[in-house]
């Protein structure tokens, strides 16, 4: 199956709740990046976590990385209606110890936050 | 500092015509990547370029598609003799030189083939 698969495919929550999205991948990676895409628009870079990092924070975002399980999670705390979007993880794979450069995206999680 | 610029934002072409998509990277970025997003799908890598050099074109269809990033000017993704299946959003991203940096995306070009 595909590198960078997100789970769940869709998530619907109330404003103020936390949202957790998971991503699994198959190969060794240099880093993993999370992006947000509002409907029909471009991608916004949220956070990059390197393979030697286990956790990273940015504002209301918390990303974890478990390279032994080849998985990552994105937590959005105290969600807002404006967080409604699709969220993608993307992996920068390693080959022979070198980053390939290109990103491999999952299918994304559609998050809906109800006011 | 302007972000990644893409133009046009929307492009309509009839079957058999050529489509030319342009991408200007962020200032200081010398690496450019093109991705395609089909409806209801994630992004798929197409090609990775540096100035005057194609680094990886493993995601490019073998025929009709080409890309360049000249010494001066924007990167161009060219699709010859477009077909309906080429209808998609095409995104360009750029990054700093070196490995493993964040890729910043442009707003995309939505290509519709009629």
């Amino acid at each position: 199956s595909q590198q960078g698969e997100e789970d769940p495919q869709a998530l619907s929550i109330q404003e103020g709740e936390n949202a957790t999205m998971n991503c699994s991948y198959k190969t060794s990676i240099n880093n993993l990046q999370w992006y947000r895409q509002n409907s029909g628009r471009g991608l916004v870079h949220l956070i990059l976590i390197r393979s030697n990092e286990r956790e990273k924070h940015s504002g209301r975002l918390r990303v974890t990385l478990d390279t032994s399980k080849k998985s990552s999670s994105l937590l959005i705390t105290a969600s807002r209606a404006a967080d409604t979007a699709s969220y993608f993880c993307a992996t920068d794979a390693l080959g022979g110890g070198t980053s390939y450069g290109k990103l491999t995206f999952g299918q994304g999680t559609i998050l809906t936050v109800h006011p | 500092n302007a972000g990644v610029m893409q133009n046009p934002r929307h492009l309509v072409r009839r079957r058999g015509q050529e489509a030319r998509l342009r991408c200007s990277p962020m200032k200081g970025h010398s690496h450019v990547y093109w991705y395609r997003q089909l409806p209801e799908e994630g992004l798929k890598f197409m090609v990775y370029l540096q100035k005057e050099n194609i680094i990886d074109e493993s995601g490019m269809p073998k025929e009709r598609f080409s890309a360049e990033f000249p010494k001066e000017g924007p990167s161009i993704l060219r699709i010859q003799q477009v077909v309906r299946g080429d209808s998609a959003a095409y995104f360009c991203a750029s990054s700093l030189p070196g490995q493993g940096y964040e890729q910043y995306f442009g707003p995309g070009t939505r290509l519709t083939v009629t």
Side-chain angles (χ1 to χ4, degrees), chain B:
Chain B
N1 187 10
V4 179
M5 311 280 283
Q6 288 188 251
N7 67 81
R9 295 289 305 275
H10 299 273
L11 182 61
V12 179
R13 284 286 178 266
R14 287 197 172 92
R15 279 178 297 169
Q17 291 184 320
E18 178 179 289
R20 292 172 72 88
L21 288 62
R22 296 174 190 78
C23 168
S24 296
M26 285 178 69
K27 188 175 181 180
H29 287 192
S30 58
H31 291 205
V32 165
Y33 311 80
W34 285 93
Y35 295 84
R36 177 166 64 177
Q37 185 177 34
L38 295 170
E40 310 301 326
E41 292 190 12
L43 279 75
K44 296 286 195 294
F45 167 79
M46 299 182 74
V47 63
Y48 165 26
L49 309 108
Q50 295 174 13
K51 288 278 187 182
E52 299 183 286
N53 196 16
I54 296 175
I55 305 301
D56 182 349
E57 56 182 348
S58 57
M60 289 276 272
K62 298 295 180 212
E63 297 177 350
R64 302 187 297 108
F65 284 72
S66 62
E68 62 175 2
F69 189 14
K71 187 176 179 181
E72 301 290 337
S75 174
I76 306 285
L77 179 66
R78 182 181 177 209
I79 311 172
Q80 295 178 289
Q81 299 175 325
V82 296
V83 300
R84 288 221 172 101
D86 297 332
S87 295
Y90 291 82
F91 291 95
C92 166
S94 72
S95 72
L96 289 168
Q99 295 178 0
Y101 288 103
E102 294 88 343
Q103 292 185 21
Y104 293 94
F105 282 76
T109 293
R110 274 145 190 85
L111 172 66
T112 302
V113 179
T114 61

